[in-house]
Amino acid sequence: MVVKVYGPMCGCAKRVMVCLTEKEVEFETIPVDVFKGKHKDPEYLKLQYFDAESRAIMRYYSEKYRSQGVELLGKTIEERGIVEQWLEVEAQNFHSHAYNLAIHLLFAKPFGITQDLKLIEESEAKLEKVLNIYEERLSKNKYLAGDFFSLADMSHLPFTEYIVNTEKVYLIRDRKHVSAWWNNISNRPSWKKVVEMDKAPI
């Protein structure tokens, strides 16, 4: 059965798309125009009540199709625990600050919002602290969960991509190990395929 992915322009949908690609699961995309607020329509919300379940969807498909494609959850219960730890770090410590930068630096005009310079400054400062921890972690490990690519790395792809396409790119590039990690994961064929599918990401 072909998996349907709604809203391929959205960063969260791209998490799911890259996961399905790594797991060699066939999918089709169904456009949802976020600029027109279609992701808030009742029919769409029936599919995704809080518009924020991409990490759970990634976990589900990684488990369901565990026997095919790339192993994204870790091969042992210990590795799985570390993957889950860094997925939580991404969700709770990285995402909100990266999201704020993306929205206010790249998408304020399309969304019709006023760029909040104070929020940009605060989000950058908070993200710097998070990335300093990443730098330390990645100085000892090729990937966040260890020596293997996992959902923990994958979950960072969409919003790190946004950051490196703003003037805040130095947040990534000024950190040697974070920069090398980004070069590595962003050059995976799965991510390149997703980026190619949508040249105007959001």
Side-chain angles (χ1 to χ4, degrees):
M1 183 177 71
V2 177
V3 175
K4 294 181 180 180
V5 180
Y6 290 79
M9 291 176 65
C10 301
C12 292
K14 289 179 180 180
R15 284 195 187 98
V16 176
M17 292 161 66
V18 73
C19 177
L20 293 171
T21 303
E22 290 280 359
K23 296 306 294 181
E24 301 172 0
V25 176
E26 187 178 359
F27 66 91
E28 64 177 306
T29 60
I30 299 175
V32 177
D33 193 336
V34 295
F35 293 117
K36 294 182 179 178
K38 295 298 183 181
H39 60 306
K40 300 298 183 183
D41 284 358
E43 288 302 309
Y44 177 77
L45 292 176
K46 286 180 183 178
L47 301 170
Q48 194 163 275
Y49 294 108
F50 295 102
D51 193 30
E53 291 98 21
S54 59
R55 296 170 192 83
I57 295 169
M58 290 196 308
R59 288 180 174 102
Y60 169 78
Y61 282 111
S62 295
E63 193 68 66
K64 182 174 182 178
Y65 295 101
R66 198 155 192 175
S67 64
Q68 67 187 60
V70 176
E71 173 56 67
L72 297 170
L73 296 169
K75 295 179 180 179
T76 66
I77 191 67
E78 290 79 13
E79 288 181 350
R80 175 67 181 266
I82 298 173
V83 171
E84 293 291 346
Q85 176 188 9
W86 283 94
L87 267 172
E88 285 299 308
V89 170
E90 184 275 326
Q92 303 299 327
N93 301 97
F94 174 89
H95 178 76
S96 62
H97 312 313
Y99 177 88
N100 287 338
L101 291 178
I103 291 297
H104 286 272
L105 292 173
L106 292 176
F107 305 117
K109 186 175 181 179
F111 277 124
I113 62 176
T114 301
Q115 196 178 64
D116 188 330
L117 298 180
K118 182 179 179 182
L119 182 61
I120 291 171
E121 182 180 351
E122 291 174 350
S123 296
E124 178 178 357
K126 291 175 181 177
L127 191 57
E128 281 191 303
K129 293 179 180 179
V130 174
L131 290 173
N132 286 341
I133 295 171
Y134 280 42
E135 180 69 4
E136 172 65 19
R137 173 70 177 173
L138 292 165
S139 71
K140 300 172 183 176
N141 299 275
K142 185 175 182 180
Y143 300 101
L144 289 172
D147 63 358
F148 60 98
F149 179 73
S150 73
L151 292 185
D153 308 289
M154 182 182 293
S155 196
H156 288 80
L157 282 164
F159 284 88
T160 307
E161 177 86 10
Y162 296 153
I163 290 171
V164 299
N165 281 292
T166 73
E167 63 266 31
K168 305 299 183 182
V169 61
Y170 56 80
L171 289 169
I172 304 301
R173 293 307 182 194
D174 284 358
R175 292 166 172 81
K176 176 182 176 181
H177 301 290
V178 171
S179 184
W181 167 74
W182 173 247
N183 287 342
N184 186 350
I185 66 173
S186 64
N187 278 294
R188 291 183 73 84
S190 59
W191 180 243
K192 286 187 172 183
K193 177 182 176 180
V194 170
V195 171
E196 278 297 315
M197 291 175 71
D198 180 19
K199 286 294 189 180
I202 174 58

